[in-house]
Amino acid sequence: PCHKNLPQEEKESDDSQLEKHRPMNSYNCQCWADGDLILAVNRINDLMEFDANSGRLVRLFALPGVEPDSCCVFVTLLRDHVLLAFSDGIALGVNANKLDAVDFRLTMSQSVKFSHCNLTPCDQLVMTAPGKISFLSLGDTEELDCKQAPSSRLLDFHTGPVLALGSQLVSLDQTRPVLLTSGLDGCLKVWSDTGGVLCRHTFRQATEAASDKSTLESSQVGSGPGPAIAITSLATAPHDSMALIGTAVGSLHLLYLISESQSGEPDTVGLASLGNLQLSHSPTSGIIFHPNRDLIAAACKSELHIIELSHKSSNPLSLLASTTNDEANSSLLWHDDLLLV
């Protein structure tokens, strides 16, 4: 069946449906829904709703019209819809209340395969492909239907794969967030949603040893001492103009974004280094700020770390706890004081 609500007695007595759809390492992406519910999408593009307390499958919707070789790279709640983005440039909006119908379908550029996706505070969907960024302004989801997205555009911004992206407000009077991207080329770029590059910095071996509190100077790939270090993960703080990046050598770097415009939208953005922390010798695979507390979760392959963020210390990053498990940690999500790994 395309859609199935599992009756209560089946939830109590039979876990066969759950086990059928939870083979090892089968989930592409997930997010917290209302209450203690989790939305997840597996490799065969089933949209599933789980109870976080019991782990039981509550609802399942086999997404129609998705190509077999396309995988879901992003899922989130957007008002009354579950928004999903796929590697072939298709975005779907599923009715969040019934989880049984696709209300809108949008097509971005299909000339490339997308690998990462993010939704900005202005409801702009940003997707990345090797060396490319694509925008899609969603606006009112009630007015969307099955059509080519008119505001989708493709830009060249990195040499090689884009590995992470995020959005951040640089000042209190700013109305639109700036976008941050990082990649295998070791370059962190800050740019406006109109495509203008506001700042760029390449992380190198020499930068890894730089002192805290120093202002990062702009550099180009291939200039300066030492090889570039790939930036494998990126997160933005929920309340301050800060960003945290993780590198391929297991280090974290906390940066402050400084607007260099007198009013309105920034013309350029400066980066100030607030501190760094060496977590591991393995690449960071995920980092995330706690939405309400001064805590950060970070993953390096099978390692999981909890970091405290202090605003009074000379180095604001201090390790609180670490653990390991048998599998690689690919994504992290906070929900109150629960961490979904």
Side-chain angles (χ1 to χ4, degrees), residues 103-106 137-147:
D103 287 350
F104 63 86
R105 175 187 176 95
L106 298 174
S137 295
L138 295 175
D140 189 355
T141 53
E142 294 182 356
E143 298 179 359
L144 296 175
D145 53 19
C146 299
K147 62 182 180 182

Side-chain angles (χ1 to χ4, degrees), residues 19-178:
E19 296 303 325
K20 177 182 177 182
H21 293 281
R22 58 179 302 184
M24 296 294 283
N25 303 318
S26 67
Y27 298 118
N28 288 330
C29 53
Q30 62 281 321
C31 70
W32 287 100
D34 295 332
D36 291 330
L37 296 175
I38 296 172
L39 293 173
V41 183
N42 62 12
R43 290 182 179 176
I44 59 174
N45 293 319
D46 289 328
L47 175 60
M48 295 167 288
E49 186 178 68
F50 292 95
D51 185 301
N53 296 312
S54 66
R56 297 185 185 277
L57 178 64
V58 180
R59 293 188 291 181
L60 184 148
F61 178 40
L63 295 165
V66 180
E67 295 297 326
D69 60 344
S70 178
C71 64
C72 186
V73 297
F74 180 75
V75 59
T76 190
L77 281 178
L78 179 64
R79 293 183 287 278
D80 294 330
H81 290 91
V82 179
L83 178 66
L84 305 105
F86 294 85
S87 60
D88 61 353
I90 299 296
L92 300 180
V94 175
N95 187 299
N97 297 319
K98 297 181 180 179
L99 217 67
D100 64 350
V102 174
D103 287 350
F104 63 86
R105 175 187 176 95
L106 298 174
T107 303
M108 303 176 75
S109 172
Q110 293 184 284
S111 60
V112 294
K113 284 291 184 181
F114 294 96
S115 57
H116 294 80
C117 182
N118 192 13
L119 184 68
T120 74
C122 299
D123 291 345
Q124 187 176 55
L125 197 64
V126 185
M127 298 184 71
T128 69
K132 299 180 182 297
I133 310 293
S134 185
F135 302 87
L136 174 61
S137 295
L138 295 175
D140 189 355
T141 53
E142 294 182 356
E143 298 179 359
L144 296 175
D145 53 19
C146 299
K147 62 182 180 182
Q148 177 75 25
S151 56
S152 175
R153 59 192 189 276
L154 209 58
L155 302 171
D156 294 315
F157 269 97
H158 281 270
T159 303
V162 177
L163 301 181
L165 75 159
S167 61
Q168 184 62 285
L169 291 172
V170 179
S171 60
L172 294 177
D173 59 347
Q174 185 186 356
T175 57
R176 300 186 68 84
V178 297

Side-chain angles (χ1 to χ4, degrees), residues 84-328:
L84 305 105
F86 294 85
S87 60
D88 61 353
I90 299 296
L92 300 180
V94 175
N95 187 299
N97 297 319
K98 297 181 180 179
L99 217 67
D100 64 350
V102 174
D103 287 350
F104 63 86
R105 175 187 176 95
L106 298 174
T107 303
M108 303 176 75
S109 172
Q110 293 184 284
S111 60
V112 294
K113 284 291 184 181
F114 294 96
S115 57
H116 294 80
C117 182
N118 192 13
L119 184 68
T120 74
C122 299
D123 291 345
Q124 187 176 55
L125 197 64
V126 185
M127 298 184 71
T128 69
K132 299 180 182 297
I133 310 293
S134 185
F135 302 87
L136 174 61
S137 295
L138 295 175
D140 189 355
T141 53
E142 294 182 356
E143 298 179 359
L144 296 175
D145 53 19
C146 299
K147 62 182 180 182
Q148 177 75 25
S151 56
S152 175
R153 59 192 189 276
L154 209 58
L155 302 171
D156 294 315
F157 269 97
H158 281 270
T159 303
V162 177
L163 301 181
L165 75 159
S167 61
Q168 184 62 285
L169 291 172
V170 179
S171 60
L172 294 177
D173 59 347
Q174 185 186 356
T175 57
R176 300 186 68 84
V178 297
L179 303 174
L180 299 89
T181 61
S182 63
L184 192 63
D185 55 8
C187 189
L188 175 69
K189 293 191 177 182
V190 184
W191 39 284
S192 68
D193 58 0
T194 59
V197 177
L198 304 176
C199 177
R200 69 186 69 193
H201 178 78
T202 300
F203 281 78
R204 302 180 180 277
Q205 292 289 356
T207 302
E208 296 284 326
S211 61
D212 298 344
K213 300 291 184 180
S214 62
T215 300
L216 298 176
E217 296 185 2
S218 180
S219 62
Q220 298 287 341
V221 174
S223 65
I229 301 171
I231 303 172
T232 54
S233 55
L234 184 154
T236 53
H239 306 300
D240 300 302
S241 299
M242 293 188 298
L244 185 67
I245 66 115
T247 70
V249 294
S251 60
L252 296 181
H253 299 264
L254 185 65
L255 308 173
Y256 189 79
L257 280 67
I258 305 170
S259 174
E260 298 181 356
S261 174
Q262 297 297 322
S263 61
E265 307 305 316
D267 299 321
T268 58
V269 170
L271 294 177
S273 175
L274 299 180
N276 56 70
L277 181 64
Q278 186 69 43
L279 285 179
S280 171
H281 295 294
S282 300
T284 56
S285 54
I287 47 178
I288 187 170
F289 286 87
H290 192 286
N292 303 312
R293 300 178 61 185
D294 291 330
L295 295 175
I296 298 166
C300 301
K301 289 191 175 179
S302 61
E303 306 169 14
L304 182 64
H305 307 275
I306 304 297
I307 299 125
E308 183 179 29
L309 178 61
S310 173
H311 299 279
K312 299 179 181 180
S313 173
S314 58
N315 189 345
L317 301 176
S318 59
L319 186 63
L320 287 182
S322 298
T323 187
T324 59
N325 57 33
D326 295 332
E327 299 178 44

